[in-house]
Amino acid sequence: MTSKRPITIARGDGIGPEIMDATLKILEHAGANIEPEFIDVGEKVYLSGNSSGISDDAWESLRRTKVFFKGPITTPQGGGYKSLNVTIRKTLGLYANVRPNVSYAPFVKTKHPDMDIVIIRENEEDLYAGIEHQQTPEVVQCLKLITRPGTEKIVRYAFEYARKNNRKKVTCFTKDNIMKLTDGLFHKVFKEIAKEYPDIETEHWIIDIGMAKIADSPQDFDVIVMPNLYGDIASDVAAQITGSVGLAGSANIGDQVAMFEAIHGSAPDIAGKGIANPSGLINGAIMMLVHIGQAEVATRIHNAWLKTLEDGVNTGDIAKGGASVGTMEFAEAVIERLDQKPKTFTAVEYKNSEPTDDYQFKLEPLVKDRPKLDVVRELEGVDVFLFNNELTSNEIGQKLEELAGQEFKLAVITNRGVKVYPGGFPETFTTDHWRCRFEAVNGVGSISNKDIITLLTRIDDAGLDSIKTENLYRFNGERGYSLGQGQ
Ligand code: NAD
């Protein structure tokens, strides 16, 4: 037997320790060749004064073993505690959140007996970049960042996952009818990469109707890839409609490190009672075993778990008032069935991936090898954001017309994205946050950053309060910014 694979394990908070102990007992009986290294993360660490919820020693273990098996964590409310999950995902580059959502009818009640979808959620970017600012007394903002390399990685991951797991279709969800640049880039990259996978069917839905379709007819989907926030919401909806949030596992995959967990939280309402369903964490463990090249053990556990469901052994969340067992009894029922196969469900058979070293499969091209993009970038204006709660839009507009100078002309002023100058309707609601768009009089490339600084100085000298700017560029001749509504 090869030497044991070190795994970093956190038992977690709330029901975490109960479901982790139950799951580890199954792993041990099934012959998982692992060497656990236990670390403390979460509530205890937060409350000891560490606002990130993770110690230096824990980081060291994670970076060395490269595989993290984690119970759910409680994030204390208020007090500036940062979400440990988000910190771990972003620090270790765990860019792909993979969440299979499968129905187990008739053994688990669900309105969708034929559901078997995998949601692949981008895990690092979008609004979860966590860049937020209060800009005026009335207005706060959160930056939504979508990058080309980040999108290429997650979309490619989704197609590779589909191919490797014999999935037939990859669907993309975005809201690019509204966010033409950010979600537009995600959709564009999806279409580009899809061409490299002609064997896989593709489709795209706007997220709102896409979500409605998941809720109504999930059997029409296979693999679905989407930006971070949509994926967060869609994957919880999808898990819930399979019958219980207590069932699904989740993998967070990076180029070097991967983390496996249940999708649910620490369930403080039932913690300490020994009644939580360990199935979500068991399914997380199965994904981990496949990832580390122990497909045979994963297969044994998965089939035994399916047989346990078929035999009607259920925790309270699934039994819903019927006969139920506790967390550890459920685990023991799975252990008793380790050499059995399901009869109604199709038995699973995992295969080890090639190569079976530290991660599932290599993604080409990896971001570190990516070529420098050959792009011509030309400045053609600037958006100056003003704080003002005294002047009307017309008064601001007239002042700025005078301050525009020879290089710039004031093109438009918007408030919350809607044009309010020149023209504008009295019905439009306005706040104290004004976006004032200046365009270069002599067109693209005729102005420099220095001209913008001079413009800002004139604005400041006139007693107007500029709070930030955004440069307006063309990239290879294409506009790199959105137009104001009504512009
Ligand atoms: P939750 O998932 O913990 O609980 C939601 C509901 O589902 C509760 O009624 C709970 O009893 C039930 N439930 C969840 N898991 C179950 C299981 N295995 N068996 C039976 N019933 C189960 O969500 P919440 O109450 O919104 O969050 C509680 C805490 O968990 C919060 O501090 C939150 O920040 C944290 N959280 C952590 C993670 C994670 O670590 N990955 C994920 C989500 C939430």
Side-chain angles (χ1 to χ4, degrees), residues 160-193:
E160 288 290 328
Y161 181 95
R163 215 176 237 180
K164 186 165 176 286
N165 292 282
N166 286 324
R167 298 273 178 168
K168 305 285 174 262
K169 182 166 78 169
V170 178
T171 304
C172 174
F173 284 180
T174 69
K175 185 81 183 169
D176 65 340
N177 55 331
I178 302 295
M179 284 161 278
K180 296 188 164 66
L181 289 185
T182 47
D183 283 24
L185 175 63
F186 199 95
H187 188 179
K188 187 171 160 193
V189 169
F190 176 77
K191 285 193 283 194
E192 283 170 17
I193 290 181

PDB file of all heavy atoms in Angstrom, residues 160-193:
ATOM      1  N   GLU A 160     -14.356  20.920 -19.616  1.00  0.00           N
ATOM      2  CA  GLU A 160     -13.524  19.751 -19.298  1.00  0.00           C
ATOM      3  C   GLU A 160     -14.282  18.798 -18.371  1.00  0.00           C
ATOM      4  O   GLU A 160     -14.234  17.585 -18.528  1.00  0.00           O
ATOM      5  CB  GLU A 160     -12.214  20.181 -18.625  1.00  0.00           C
ATOM      6  CG  GLU A 160     -11.228  20.857 -19.553  1.00  0.00           C
ATOM      7  CD  GLU A 160     -10.621  19.892 -20.571  1.00  0.00           C
ATOM      8  OE1 GLU A 160     -10.464  18.705 -20.242  1.00  0.00           O
ATOM      9  OE2 GLU A 160     -10.310  20.339 -21.694  1.00  0.00           O
ATOM     10  N   TYR A 161     -14.985  19.399 -17.391  1.00  0.00           N
ATOM     11  CA  TYR A 161     -15.763  18.592 -16.453  1.00  0.00           C
ATOM     12  C   TYR A 161     -16.816  17.796 -17.219  1.00  0.00           C
ATOM     13  O   TYR A 161     -17.008  16.592 -16.986  1.00  0.00           O
ATOM     14  CB  TYR A 161     -16.428  19.509 -15.417  1.00  0.00           C
ATOM     15  CG  TYR A 161     -17.233  18.752 -14.382  1.00  0.00           C
ATOM     16  CD1 TYR A 161     -16.678  18.408 -13.156  1.00  0.00           C
ATOM     17  CD2 TYR A 161     -18.542  18.356 -14.649  1.00  0.00           C
ATOM     18  CE1 TYR A 161     -17.406  17.689 -12.222  1.00  0.00           C
ATOM     19  CE2 TYR A 161     -19.284  17.639 -13.722  1.00  0.00           C
ATOM     20  CZ  TYR A 161     -18.700  17.305 -12.506  1.00  0.00           C
ATOM     21  OH  TYR A 161     -19.425  16.590 -11.590  1.00  0.00           O
ATOM     22  N   ALA A 162     -17.496  18.487 -18.155  1.00  0.00           N
ATOM     23  CA  ALA A 162     -18.557  17.827 -18.925  1.00  0.00           C
ATOM     24  C   ALA A 162     -17.975  16.645 -19.703  1.00  0.00           C
ATOM     25  O   ALA A 162     -18.516  15.533 -19.673  1.00  0.00           O
ATOM     26  CB  ALA A 162     -19.205  18.828 -19.868  1.00  0.00           C
ATOM     27  N   ARG A 163     -16.862  16.894 -20.362  1.00  0.00           N
ATOM     28  CA  ARG A 163     -16.269  15.828 -21.184  1.00  0.00           C
ATOM     29  C   ARG A 163     -15.850  14.647 -20.322  1.00  0.00           C
ATOM     30  O   ARG A 163     -16.143  13.494 -20.634  1.00  0.00           O
ATOM     31  CB  ARG A 163     -15.031  16.412 -21.878  1.00  0.00           C
ATOM     32  CG  ARG A 163     -14.835  15.865 -23.245  1.00  0.00           C
ATOM     33  CD  ARG A 163     -13.672  16.542 -23.910  1.00  0.00           C
ATOM     34  NE  ARG A 163     -14.059  17.159 -25.158  1.00  0.00           N
ATOM     35  CZ  ARG A 163     -13.204  17.824 -25.925  1.00  0.00           C
ATOM     36  NH1 ARG A 163     -11.964  17.997 -25.548  1.00  0.00           N
ATOM     37  NH2 ARG A 163     -13.627  18.331 -27.045  1.00  0.00           N
ATOM     38  N   LYS A 164     -15.192  14.958 -19.225  1.00  0.00           N
ATOM     39  CA  LYS A 164     -14.647  13.910 -18.370  1.00  0.00           C
ATOM     40  C   LYS A 164     -15.754  13.102 -17.687  1.00  0.00           C
ATOM     41  O   LYS A 164     -15.573  11.915 -17.394  1.00  0.00           O
ATOM     42  CB  LYS A 164     -13.785  14.589 -17.304  1.00  0.00           C
ATOM     43  CG  LYS A 164     -13.022  13.695 -16.416  1.00  0.00           C
ATOM     44  CD  LYS A 164     -11.974  14.522 -15.693  1.00  0.00           C
ATOM     45  CE  LYS A 164     -11.236  13.664 -14.716  1.00  0.00           C
ATOM     46  NZ  LYS A 164     -12.009  13.347 -13.543  1.00  0.00           N
ATOM     47  N   ASN A 165     -16.892  13.731 -17.454  1.00  0.00           N
ATOM     48  CA  ASN A 165     -17.974  13.053 -16.742  1.00  0.00           C
ATOM     49  C   ASN A 165     -19.132  12.659 -17.655  1.00  0.00           C
ATOM     50  O   ASN A 165     -20.257  12.452 -17.195  1.00  0.00           O
ATOM     51  CB  ASN A 165     -18.479  13.950 -15.602  1.00  0.00           C
ATOM     52  CG  ASN A 165     -17.438  14.105 -14.507  1.00  0.00           C
ATOM     53  OD1 ASN A 165     -17.244  13.216 -13.680  1.00  0.00           O
ATOM     54  ND2 ASN A 165     -16.714  15.221 -14.523  1.00  0.00           N
ATOM     55  N   ASN A 166     -18.819  12.561 -18.951  1.00  0.00           N
ATOM     56  CA  ASN A 166     -19.833  12.131 -19.933  1.00  0.00           C
ATOM     57  C   ASN A 166     -21.104  12.946 -19.898  1.00  0.00           C
ATOM     58  O   ASN A 166     -22.208  12.417 -20.025  1.00  0.00           O
ATOM     59  CB  ASN A 166     -20.209  10.659 -19.711  1.00  0.00           C
ATOM     60  CG  ASN A 166     -19.105   9.776 -20.185  1.00  0.00           C
ATOM     61  OD1 ASN A 166     -18.450  10.095 -21.195  1.00  0.00           O
ATOM     62  ND2 ASN A 166     -18.868   8.701 -19.459  1.00  0.00           N
ATOM     63  N   ARG A 167     -20.945  14.231 -19.702  1.00  0.00           N
ATOM     64  CA  ARG A 167     -22.099  15.117 -19.726  1.00  0.00           C
ATOM     65  C   ARG A 167     -22.252  15.653 -21.147  1.00  0.00           C
ATOM     66  O   ARG A 167     -21.257  15.834 -21.854  1.00  0.00           O
ATOM     67  CB  ARG A 167     -21.901  16.267 -18.751  1.00  0.00           C
ATOM     68  CG  ARG A 167     -21.755  15.802 -17.304  1.00  0.00           C
ATOM     69  CD  ARG A 167     -23.110  15.683 -16.707  1.00  0.00           C
ATOM     70  NE  ARG A 167     -23.082  15.203 -15.336  1.00  0.00           N
ATOM     71  CZ  ARG A 167     -24.158  15.247 -14.561  1.00  0.00           C
ATOM     72  NH1 ARG A 167     -25.299  15.734 -14.996  1.00  0.00           N
ATOM     73  NH2 ARG A 167     -24.108  14.783 -13.344  1.00  0.00           N
ATOM     74  N   LYS A 168     -23.508  15.895 -21.548  1.00  0.00           N
ATOM     75  CA  LYS A 168     -23.748  16.198 -22.968  1.00  0.00           C
ATOM     76  C   LYS A 168     -23.861  17.682 -23.281  1.00  0.00           C
ATOM     77  O   LYS A 168     -23.684  18.109 -24.410  1.00  0.00           O
ATOM     78  CB  LYS A 168     -25.068  15.521 -23.416  1.00  0.00           C
ATOM     79  CG  LYS A 168     -25.099  14.019 -23.158  1.00  0.00           C
ATOM     80  CD  LYS A 168     -24.219  13.281 -24.174  1.00  0.00           C
ATOM     81  CE  LYS A 168     -24.095  11.811 -23.871  1.00  0.00           C
ATOM     82  NZ  LYS A 168     -22.892  11.418 -23.155  1.00  0.00           N
ATOM     83  N   LYS A 169     -24.228  18.473 -22.256  1.00  0.00           N
ATOM     84  CA  LYS A 169     -24.549  19.874 -22.556  1.00  0.00           C
ATOM     85  C   LYS A 169     -23.966  20.793 -21.488  1.00  0.00           C
ATOM     86  O   LYS A 169     -23.966  20.449 -20.305  1.00  0.00           O
ATOM     87  CB  LYS A 169     -26.078  20.028 -22.591  1.00  0.00           C
ATOM     88  CG  LYS A 169     -26.543  21.420 -22.937  1.00  0.00           C
ATOM     89  CD  LYS A 169     -28.015  21.473 -23.295  1.00  0.00           C
ATOM     90  CE  LYS A 169     -28.910  21.422 -22.087  1.00  0.00           C
ATOM     91  NZ  LYS A 169     -30.304  21.715 -22.383  1.00  0.00           N
ATOM     92  N   VAL A 170     -23.460  21.966 -21.914  1.00  0.00           N
ATOM     93  CA  VAL A 170     -23.061  22.998 -20.955  1.00  0.00           C
ATOM     94  C   VAL A 170     -23.890  24.244 -21.249  1.00  0.00           C
ATOM     95  O   VAL A 170     -23.922  24.733 -22.374  1.00  0.00           O
ATOM     96  CB  VAL A 170     -21.557  23.332 -21.042  1.00  0.00           C
ATOM     97  CG1 VAL A 170     -21.205  24.439 -20.057  1.00  0.00           C
ATOM     98  CG2 VAL A 170     -20.695  22.100 -20.767  1.00  0.00           C
ATOM     99  N   THR A 171     -24.574  24.730 -20.211  1.00  0.00           N
ATOM    100  CA  THR A 171     -25.395  25.943 -20.329  1.00  0.00           C
ATOM    101  C   THR A 171     -24.681  27.068 -19.596  1.00  0.00           C
ATOM    102  O   THR A 171     -24.049  26.836 -18.568  1.00  0.00           O
ATOM    103  CB  THR A 171     -26.777  25.710 -19.675  1.00  0.00           C
ATOM    104  OG1 THR A 171     -27.382  24.573 -20.283  1.00  0.00           O
ATOM    105  CG2 THR A 171     -27.675  26.915 -19.828  1.00  0.00           C
ATOM    106  N   CYS A 172     -24.793  28.268 -20.141  1.00  0.00           N
ATOM    107  CA  CYS A 172     -24.199  29.441 -19.487  1.00  0.00           C
ATOM    108  C   CYS A 172     -25.332  30.380 -19.083  1.00  0.00           C
ATOM    109  O   CYS A 172     -26.273  30.581 -19.858  1.00  0.00           O
ATOM    110  CB  CYS A 172     -23.263  30.118 -20.479  1.00  0.00           C
ATOM    111  SG  CYS A 172     -22.566  31.676 -19.937  1.00  0.00           S
ATOM    112  N   PHE A 173     -25.283  30.917 -17.845  1.00  0.00           N
ATOM    113  CA  PHE A 173     -26.254  31.938 -17.411  1.00  0.00           C
ATOM    114  C   PHE A 173     -25.511  33.250 -17.221  1.00  0.00           C
ATOM    115  O   PHE A 173     -24.476  33.278 -16.531  1.00  0.00           O
ATOM    116  CB  PHE A 173     -26.846  31.585 -16.037  1.00  0.00           C
ATOM    117  CG  PHE A 173     -27.888  30.501 -16.016  1.00  0.00           C
ATOM    118  CD1 PHE A 173     -28.469  30.141 -14.800  1.00  0.00           C
ATOM    119  CD2 PHE A 173     -28.316  29.860 -17.167  1.00  0.00           C
ATOM    120  CE1 PHE A 173     -29.441  29.147 -14.736  1.00  0.00           C
ATOM    121  CE2 PHE A 173     -29.289  28.862 -17.114  1.00  0.00           C
ATOM    122  CZ  PHE A 173     -29.846  28.510 -15.892  1.00  0.00           C
ATOM    123  N   THR A 174     -26.042  34.320 -17.815  1.00  0.00           N
ATOM    124  CA  THR A 174     -25.522  35.666 -17.515  1.00  0.00           C
ATOM    125  C   THR A 174     -26.687  36.649 -17.563  1.00  0.00           C
ATOM    126  O   THR A 174     -27.820  36.272 -17.858  1.00  0.00           O
ATOM    127  CB  THR A 174     -24.475  36.155 -18.543  1.00  0.00           C
ATOM    128  OG1 THR A 174     -25.133  36.385 -19.788  1.00  0.00           O
ATOM    129  CG2 THR A 174     -23.323  35.192 -18.719  1.00  0.00           C
ATOM    130  N   LYS A 175     -26.382  37.888 -17.315  1.00  0.00           N
ATOM    131  CA  LYS A 175     -27.383  38.963 -17.454  1.00  0.00           C
ATOM    132  C   LYS A 175     -26.780  39.984 -18.417  1.00  0.00           C
ATOM    133  O   LYS A 175     -26.630  41.165 -18.093  1.00  0.00           O
ATOM    134  CB  LYS A 175     -27.654  39.561 -16.058  1.00  0.00           C
ATOM    135  CG  LYS A 175     -28.748  40.590 -16.004  1.00  0.00           C
ATOM    136  CD  LYS A 175     -30.128  39.993 -15.939  1.00  0.00           C
ATOM    137  CE  LYS A 175     -31.186  41.076 -15.960  1.00  0.00           C
ATOM    138  NZ  LYS A 175     -32.544  40.553 -16.145  1.00  0.00           N
ATOM    139  N   ASP A 176     -26.382  39.504 -19.593  1.00  0.00           N
ATOM    140  CA  ASP A 176     -25.644  40.396 -20.496  1.00  0.00           C
ATOM    141  C   ASP A 176     -26.542  41.309 -21.315  1.00  0.00           C
ATOM    142  O   ASP A 176     -26.040  42.157 -22.044  1.00  0.00           O
ATOM    143  CB  ASP A 176     -24.686  39.601 -21.401  1.00  0.00           C
ATOM    144  CG  ASP A 176     -25.410  38.684 -22.361  1.00  0.00           C
ATOM    145  OD1 ASP A 176     -26.585  38.357 -22.122  1.00  0.00           O
ATOM    146  OD2 ASP A 176     -24.785  38.289 -23.363  1.00  0.00           O
ATOM    147  N   ASN A 177     -27.871  41.146 -21.152  1.00  0.00           N
ATOM    148  CA  ASN A 177     -28.750  42.144 -21.768  1.00  0.00           C
ATOM    149  C   ASN A 177     -28.666  43.465 -21.002  1.00  0.00           C
ATOM    150  O   ASN A 177     -28.921  44.523 -21.551  1.00  0.00           O
ATOM    151  CB  ASN A 177     -30.204  41.643 -21.813  1.00  0.00           C
ATOM    152  CG  ASN A 177     -30.722  41.226 -20.437  1.00  0.00           C
ATOM    153  OD1 ASN A 177     -29.942  40.801 -19.580  1.00  0.00           O
ATOM    154  ND2 ASN A 177     -32.011  41.339 -20.212  1.00  0.00           N
ATOM    155  N   ILE A 178     -28.269  43.411 -19.746  1.00  0.00           N
ATOM    156  CA  ILE A 178     -28.132  44.627 -18.935  1.00  0.00           C
ATOM    157  C   ILE A 178     -26.656  44.966 -18.747  1.00  0.00           C
ATOM    158  O   ILE A 178     -26.219  46.068 -19.035  1.00  0.00           O
ATOM    159  CB  ILE A 178     -28.789  44.445 -17.539  1.00  0.00           C
ATOM    160  CG1 ILE A 178     -30.265  44.089 -17.689  1.00  0.00           C
ATOM    161  CG2 ILE A 178     -28.606  45.694 -16.673  1.00  0.00           C
ATOM    162  CD1 ILE A 178     -31.130  45.160 -18.298  1.00  0.00           C
ATOM    163  N   MET A 179     -25.860  43.991 -18.263  1.00  0.00           N
ATOM    164  CA  MET A 179     -24.436  44.262 -18.014  1.00  0.00           C
ATOM    165  C   MET A 179     -23.629  43.805 -19.224  1.00  0.00           C
ATOM    166  O   MET A 179     -23.076  42.705 -19.250  1.00  0.00           O
ATOM    167  CB  MET A 179     -24.001  43.577 -16.719  1.00  0.00           C
ATOM    168  CG  MET A 179     -24.515  44.358 -15.519  1.00  0.00           C
ATOM    169  SD  MET A 179     -24.546  43.401 -14.024  1.00  0.00           S
ATOM    170  CE  MET A 179     -26.070  42.516 -14.210  1.00  0.00           C
ATOM    171  N   LYS A 180     -23.619  44.686 -20.224  1.00  0.00           N
ATOM    172  CA  LYS A 180     -23.101  44.291 -21.533  1.00  0.00           C
ATOM    173  C   LYS A 180     -21.594  44.086 -21.517  1.00  0.00           C
ATOM    174  O   LYS A 180     -21.058  43.289 -22.284  1.00  0.00           O
ATOM    175  CB  LYS A 180     -23.496  45.337 -22.564  1.00  0.00           C
ATOM    176  CG  LYS A 180     -25.007  45.420 -22.750  1.00  0.00           C
ATOM    177  CD  LYS A 180     -25.391  46.313 -23.905  1.00  0.00           C
ATOM    178  CE  LYS A 180     -26.821  46.113 -24.337  1.00  0.00           C
ATOM    179  NZ  LYS A 180     -27.833  46.518 -23.367  1.00  0.00           N
ATOM    180  N   LEU A 181     -20.896  44.805 -20.637  1.00  0.00           N
ATOM    181  CA  LEU A 181     -19.444  44.633 -20.600  1.00  0.00           C
ATOM    182  C   LEU A 181     -19.039  43.466 -19.711  1.00  0.00           C
ATOM    183  O   LEU A 181     -18.287  42.591 -20.133  1.00  0.00           O
ATOM    184  CB  LEU A 181     -18.771  45.916 -20.108  1.00  0.00           C
ATOM    185  CG  LEU A 181     -18.799  47.097 -21.072  1.00  0.00           C
ATOM    186  CD1 LEU A 181     -17.995  48.252 -20.505  1.00  0.00           C
ATOM    187  CD2 LEU A 181     -18.252  46.717 -22.427  1.00  0.00           C
ATOM    188  N   THR A 182     -19.534  43.440 -18.467  1.00  0.00           N
ATOM    189  CA  THR A 182     -19.072  42.409 -17.528  1.00  0.00           C
ATOM    190  C   THR A 182     -19.667  41.040 -17.877  1.00  0.00           C
ATOM    191  O   THR A 182     -18.943  40.113 -18.253  1.00  0.00           O
ATOM    192  CB  THR A 182     -19.453  42.803 -16.085  1.00  0.00           C
ATOM    193  OG1 THR A 182     -20.815  43.228 -16.059  1.00  0.00           O
ATOM    194  CG2 THR A 182     -18.546  43.889 -15.551  1.00  0.00           C
ATOM    195  N   ASP A 183     -20.986  40.921 -17.796  1.00  0.00           N
ATOM    196  CA  ASP A 183     -21.608  39.646 -18.160  1.00  0.00           C
ATOM    197  C   ASP A 183     -21.434  39.389 -19.654  1.00  0.00           C
ATOM    198  O   ASP A 183     -21.362  38.228 -20.087  1.00  0.00           O
ATOM    199  CB  ASP A 183     -23.095  39.652 -17.783  1.00  0.00           C
ATOM    200  CG  ASP A 183     -23.283  39.430 -16.285  1.00  0.00           C
ATOM    201  OD1 ASP A 183     -22.341  39.722 -15.529  1.00  0.00           O
ATOM    202  OD2 ASP A 183     -24.347  38.960 -15.871  1.00  0.00           O
ATOM    203  N   GLY A 184     -21.336  40.482 -20.420  1.00  0.00           N
ATOM    204  CA  GLY A 184     -21.092  40.335 -21.863  1.00  0.00           C
ATOM    205  C   GLY A 184     -19.779  39.617 -22.120  1.00  0.00           C
ATOM    206  O   GLY A 184     -19.678  38.755 -22.999  1.00  0.00           O
ATOM    207  N   LEU A 185     -18.732  39.939 -21.335  1.00  0.00           N
ATOM    208  CA  LEU A 185     -17.435  39.266 -21.507  1.00  0.00           C
ATOM    209  C   LEU A 185     -17.562  37.785 -21.158  1.00  0.00           C
ATOM    210  O   LEU A 185     -17.039  36.910 -21.874  1.00  0.00           O
ATOM    211  CB  LEU A 185     -16.372  39.939 -20.620  1.00  0.00           C
ATOM    212  CG  LEU A 185     -15.003  39.265 -20.620  1.00  0.00           C
ATOM    213  CD1 LEU A 185     -14.365  39.309 -22.006  1.00  0.00           C
ATOM    214  CD2 LEU A 185     -14.061  39.923 -19.603  1.00  0.00           C
ATOM    215  N   PHE A 186     -18.284  37.490 -20.077  1.00  0.00           N
ATOM    216  CA  PHE A 186     -18.447  36.090 -19.657  1.00  0.00           C
ATOM    217  C   PHE A 186     -19.110  35.285 -20.784  1.00  0.00           C
ATOM    218  O   PHE A 186     -18.651  34.203 -21.154  1.00  0.00           O
ATOM    219  CB  PHE A 186     -19.298  36.034 -18.381  1.00  0.00           C
ATOM    220  CG  PHE A 186     -19.180  34.753 -17.614  1.00  0.00           C
ATOM    221  CD1 PHE A 186     -18.291  34.630 -16.562  1.00  0.00           C
ATOM    222  CD2 PHE A 186     -19.962  33.643 -17.935  1.00  0.00           C
ATOM    223  CE1 PHE A 186     -18.168  33.444 -15.848  1.00  0.00           C
ATOM    224  CE2 PHE A 186     -19.854  32.454 -17.232  1.00  0.00           C
ATOM    225  CZ  PHE A 186     -18.954  32.361 -16.177  1.00  0.00           C
ATOM    226  N   HIS A 187     -20.170  35.853 -21.358  1.00  0.00           N
ATOM    227  CA  HIS A 187     -20.905  35.157 -22.425  1.00  0.00           C
ATOM    228  C   HIS A 187     -20.031  35.010 -23.676  1.00  0.00           C
ATOM    229  O   HIS A 187     -20.004  33.943 -24.319  1.00  0.00           O
ATOM    230  CB  HIS A 187     -22.180  35.942 -22.739  1.00  0.00           C
ATOM    231  CG  HIS A 187     -23.113  35.232 -23.672  1.00  0.00           C
ATOM    232  ND1 HIS A 187     -24.309  35.750 -24.069  1.00  0.00           N
ATOM    233  CD2 HIS A 187     -23.017  34.028 -24.312  1.00  0.00           C
ATOM    234  CE1 HIS A 187     -24.912  34.909 -24.898  1.00  0.00           C
ATOM    235  NE2 HIS A 187     -24.143  33.863 -25.059  1.00  0.00           N
ATOM    236  N   LYS A 188     -19.286  36.080 -23.985  1.00  0.00           N
ATOM    237  CA  LYS A 188     -18.429  36.058 -25.187  1.00  0.00           C
ATOM    238  C   LYS A 188     -17.355  34.968 -25.063  1.00  0.00           C
ATOM    239  O   LYS A 188     -17.125  34.178 -25.979  1.00  0.00           O
ATOM    240  CB  LYS A 188     -17.768  37.437 -25.307  1.00  0.00           C
ATOM    241  CG  LYS A 188     -16.985  37.684 -26.550  1.00  0.00           C
ATOM    242  CD  LYS A 188     -16.616  39.162 -26.576  1.00  0.00           C
ATOM    243  CE  LYS A 188     -15.437  39.370 -27.504  1.00  0.00           C
ATOM    244  NZ  LYS A 188     -14.856  40.689 -27.341  1.00  0.00           N
ATOM    245  N   VAL A 189     -16.720  34.907 -23.887  1.00  0.00           N
ATOM    246  CA  VAL A 189     -15.681  33.902 -23.662  1.00  0.00           C
ATOM    247  C   VAL A 189     -16.301  32.497 -23.721  1.00  0.00           C
ATOM    248  O   VAL A 189     -15.716  31.562 -24.269  1.00  0.00           O
ATOM    249  CB  VAL A 189     -14.959  34.148 -22.311  1.00  0.00           C
ATOM    250  CG1 VAL A 189     -14.078  32.971 -21.931  1.00  0.00           C
ATOM    251  CG2 VAL A 189     -14.137  35.428 -22.384  1.00  0.00           C
ATOM    252  N   PHE A 190     -17.502  32.360 -23.182  1.00  0.00           N
ATOM    253  CA  PHE A 190     -18.206  31.072 -23.242  1.00  0.00           C
ATOM    254  C   PHE A 190     -18.357  30.636 -24.701  1.00  0.00           C
ATOM    255  O   PHE A 190     -18.060  29.490 -25.063  1.00  0.00           O
ATOM    256  CB  PHE A 190     -19.582  31.193 -22.564  1.00  0.00           C
ATOM    257  CG  PHE A 190     -20.417  29.946 -22.660  1.00  0.00           C
ATOM    258  CD1 PHE A 190     -20.167  28.855 -21.845  1.00  0.00           C
ATOM    259  CD2 PHE A 190     -21.462  29.851 -23.579  1.00  0.00           C
ATOM    260  CE1 PHE A 190     -20.935  27.697 -21.937  1.00  0.00           C
ATOM    261  CE2 PHE A 190     -22.233  28.703 -23.682  1.00  0.00           C
ATOM    262  CZ  PHE A 190     -21.959  27.621 -22.853  1.00  0.00           C
ATOM    263  N   LYS A 191     -18.800  31.569 -25.544  1.00  0.00           N
ATOM    264  CA  LYS A 191     -19.010  31.216 -26.964  1.00  0.00           C
ATOM    265  C   LYS A 191     -17.675  30.875 -27.642  1.00  0.00           C
ATOM    266  O   LYS A 191     -17.609  29.940 -28.439  1.00  0.00           O
ATOM    267  CB  LYS A 191     -19.702  32.371 -27.705  1.00  0.00           C
ATOM    268  CG  LYS A 191     -21.175  32.471 -27.356  1.00  0.00           C
ATOM    269  CD  LYS A 191     -21.940  33.376 -28.297  1.00  0.00           C
ATOM    270  CE  LYS A 191     -21.693  34.816 -28.010  1.00  0.00           C
ATOM    271  NZ  LYS A 191     -22.598  35.750 -28.624  1.00  0.00           N
ATOM    272  N   GLU A 192     -16.622  31.603 -27.300  1.00  0.00           N
ATOM    273  CA  GLU A 192     -15.299  31.326 -27.894  1.00  0.00           C
ATOM    274  C   GLU A 192     -14.818  29.922 -27.525  1.00  0.00           C
ATOM    275  O   GLU A 192     -14.392  29.143 -28.369  1.00  0.00           O
ATOM    276  CB  GLU A 192     -14.252  32.326 -27.355  1.00  0.00           C
ATOM    277  CG  GLU A 192     -14.322  33.701 -27.963  1.00  0.00           C
ATOM    278  CD  GLU A 192     -13.425  34.698 -27.209  1.00  0.00           C
ATOM    279  OE1 GLU A 192     -12.525  34.280 -26.427  1.00  0.00           O
ATOM    280  OE2 GLU A 192     -13.643  35.891 -27.398  1.00  0.00           O
ATOM    281  N   ILE A 193     -14.897  29.603 -26.225  1.00  0.00           N
ATOM    282  CA  ILE A 193     -14.348  28.327 -25.747  1.00  0.00           C
ATOM    283  C   ILE A 193     -15.230  27.157 -26.191  1.00  0.00           C
ATOM    284  O   ILE A 193     -14.733  26.065 -26.487  1.00  0.00           O
ATOM    285  CB  ILE A 193     -14.136  28.378 -24.217  1.00  0.00           C
ATOM    286  CG1 ILE A 193     -12.982  29.348 -23.958  1.00  0.00           C
ATOM    287  CG2 ILE A 193     -13.838  26.998 -23.638  1.00  0.00           C
ATOM    288  CD1 ILE A 193     -12.582  29.526 -22.536  1.00  0.00           C
TER     289      ILE A 193
END
